Amino acid sequence: MRPKLGVELTKRDLEILQFTFEQRAVSCKQLARRFFPNVCFQTAFARLEKLTKAKFLVKSYSLWR
């Protein structure tokens, strides 16, 4: 699967999308710990950014306390 924005989805990407769909809202740290256990956080963040720019994920934030 290759969308117009040039990201080729991997099996792990599909698992991330499935997990996010099931949970409705997850943090970047949660995804990094679960799907990228053997790499540094920046590598996981970069991949998640690519998925966001390709419009597979939407990111937002909320202020806590």
Side-chain angles (χ1 to χ4, degrees):
M1 293 182 213
R2 183 166 232 159
K4 293 178 184 175
L5 296 172
V7 173
E8 188 171 331
L9 293 178
T10 64
K11 183 180 182 216
R12 178 170 54 191
D13 294 336
L14 294 173
E15 290 171 357
I16 289 169
L17 296 175
Q18 178 69 34
F19 179 74
T20 304
F21 176 77
E22 290 170 359
Q23 301 300 315
R24 298 290 184 240
V26 293
S27 70
C28 189
K29 280 185 179 180
Q30 285 176 305
L31 292 174
R33 273 183 292 182
R34 185 175 179 105
F35 296 103
F36 300 90
N38 299 323
V39 298
C40 67
F41 180 78
Q42 288 81 6
T43 304
F45 182 80
R47 185 60 186 173
L48 295 172
E49 277 295 305
K50 285 183 181 181
L51 292 174
T52 301
K53 287 182 181 177
K55 299 185 180 178
F56 288 109
L57 293 175
V58 175
K59 67 179 180 178
S60 63
Y61 66 93
S62 60
L63 299 176
W64 187 259
R65 295 187 194 179

